[in-house]
Amino acid sequence: MKRQSHLLTLPSMPFFCFPESVGFYRNDPGHSVFREAGALNNFNIHYVAAGRGYVEVEDVVYELGPGEAVLYFPMQRQRYYSSEEDPWDIRWFHFYGSGLQDYLIERGLHHSLLWTIRQSASFEQAHENLLLEAEEHRMLHPVRLSTLTYALLAEFIEHATPLSPVKSNNSGSRILELLPVMQQEAVKPFILEDWAGRLGISTYYFCKLFRSVTEMTPMEFITRCRLQMAKQWLLERKSATIGQIAEDAGYPSVSYFNKRFMEHEGMTPSAYRRLYGGA
């Protein structure tokens, strides 16, 4: 059994947080998800209400049971699946918003992937409220959707405690804390020495540490950030030329911008604008 509701992604985000999707899977022993690093550009929380399942982190398998959860930040590799003998009832929601990354990092939510929730009943009720609103009204009441998403996130923040110290080493945490800054400055010329210098480490160790935490190189991360901004600008700035968008996204060469965009999106920037710009 499953219930799920997928919502439109807002190109101009007026809310602190907003749901991309919400739902649950129940009594499905074949439920299994794998996403490569960089595949998903939103946050998501998966909470086990009953049964059991597994989460893989850096080739280590962790078992999750009732009252336990996994929190993924954007761009992280994801691998989780249900127990076949005791299939889980997994409640999940994907969400995004302006300033969310800083907000969650300030509260230490980046120090662990795995969590236990002390007040499970209130969290489950908040999840049900969001799911019902999404199912019954879809996008008719966006303010209510945002409010219910924040209520659910607040329940998690208030009652969640780390289940294991996954990726809690000091150097890895410093990389995670640097990601929102890199995202904000992605359109500027990328100088590896400057970023390594901010952590006081060599460029070699910075790249090695960055890959161990994000499973991509620093330049791959910058490229994804630039293209994400370019996609938004292509839809919002309708009078801007492709050349202007390319330069503002950090690509003085339009041909190189087109090449990178094609590699990641499977179409040119112009085709992307034609396909989605009229929605």
Side-chain angles (χ1 to χ4, degrees):
M1 177 183 177
K2 66 180 179 181
R3 286 169 58 194
Q4 56 184 344
S5 182
H6 293 265
L7 301 158
L8 293 174
T9 300
L10 301 176
S12 299
M13 181 58 181
F15 304 110
F16 174 69
C17 60
F18 202 79
E20 185 272 340
S21 57
V22 56
F24 69 72
Y25 284 82
R26 182 181 298 159
N27 297 325
D28 182 0
H31 179 225
S32 178
V33 173
F34 173 67
R35 298 185 179 100
E36 292 282 6
L40 199 63
N41 192 31
N42 56 49
F43 298 86
N44 62 84
I45 294 174
H46 289 68
Y47 161 82
V48 182
R52 299 203 164 269
Y54 305 94
V55 176
E56 292 184 9
V57 184
E58 296 181 346
D59 298 323
V60 178
V61 178
Y62 296 85
E63 182 179 85
L64 293 188
E68 298 172 345
V70 55
L71 163 64
Y72 288 112
F73 273 58
M75 306 293 188
Q76 283 188 299
R77 179 183 185 273
Q78 302 180 13
R79 177 74 176 107
Y80 54 89
Y81 46 93
S82 174
S83 164
E84 294 184 359
E85 296 76 21
D86 186 15
W88 61 14
D89 174 353
I90 185 110
R91 317 287 174 90
W92 51 266
F93 70 114
H94 292 229
F95 57 102
Y96 59 101
S98 175
L100 262 181
Q101 185 136 313
D102 290 344
Y103 177 78
L104 295 178
I105 287 176
E106 287 172 2
R107 284 152 183 78
L109 274 296
H110 60 298
H111 288 307
S112 177
L113 287 181
L114 309 180
W115 302 82
T116 183
I117 298 179
R118 298 185 302 273
Q119 299 291 335
S120 58
S122 59
F123 180 86
E124 291 177 19
Q125 185 58 59
H127 182 273
E128 179 67 14
N129 293 343
L130 176 59
L131 179 55
L132 283 173
E133 175 65 26
E135 288 176 332
E136 293 179 8
H137 303 294
R138 305 295 293 172
M139 299 287 288
L140 288 179
H141 308 302
V143 173
R144 181 162 174 77
L145 281 172
S146 177
T147 301
L148 291 172
T149 303
Y150 180 75
L152 180 52
L153 180 59
E155 286 287 345
F156 181 86
I157 292 172
E158 181 177 2
H159 300 300
T161 56
L163 187 63
S164 70
V166 177
K167 291 186 179 179
S168 61
N169 66 81
N170 183 55
S171 297
S173 297
R174 290 168 70 199
I175 288 290
L176 286 173
E177 291 168 359
L178 197 61
L179 293 183
V181 183
M182 294 181 70
Q183 195 169 34
Q184 292 167 6
E185 300 182 15
V187 299
K188 298 180 180 179
F190 178 73
I191 303 174
L192 179 60
E193 291 78 7
D194 289 351
W195 290 105
R198 296 195 189 197
L199 298 188
I201 58 179
S202 68
T203 56
Y204 171 79
Y205 185 59
F206 180 84
C207 291
K208 182 178 180 180
L209 188 61
F210 195 96
R211 180 180 283 278
S212 72
V213 173
T214 67
E215 300 190 10
M216 66 183 88
T217 68
M219 194 63 235
E220 286 171 342
F221 177 78
I222 292 294
T223 296
R224 291 181 187 278
C225 293
R226 288 176 173 176
L227 293 179
Q228 187 66 33
M229 285 186 280
K231 287 165 61 179
Q232 184 169 336
W233 291 337
L234 284 167
L235 304 184
E236 292 179 352
R237 297 164 55 185
K238 299 184 184 298
S239 62
T241 66
I242 300 300
Q244 289 171 329
I245 297 292
E247 185 172 357
D248 290 346
Y251 294 101
S253 166
V254 177
S255 60
Y256 187 67
F257 172 63
N258 286 339
K259 178 182 178 181
R260 283 285 179 240
F261 199 96
M262 175 69 78
E263 288 174 352
H264 284 262
E265 300 298 326
M267 65 182 80
T268 65
S270 298
Y272 182 88
R273 174 179 269 176
R274 287 194 299 270
L275 182 61
Y276 297 107

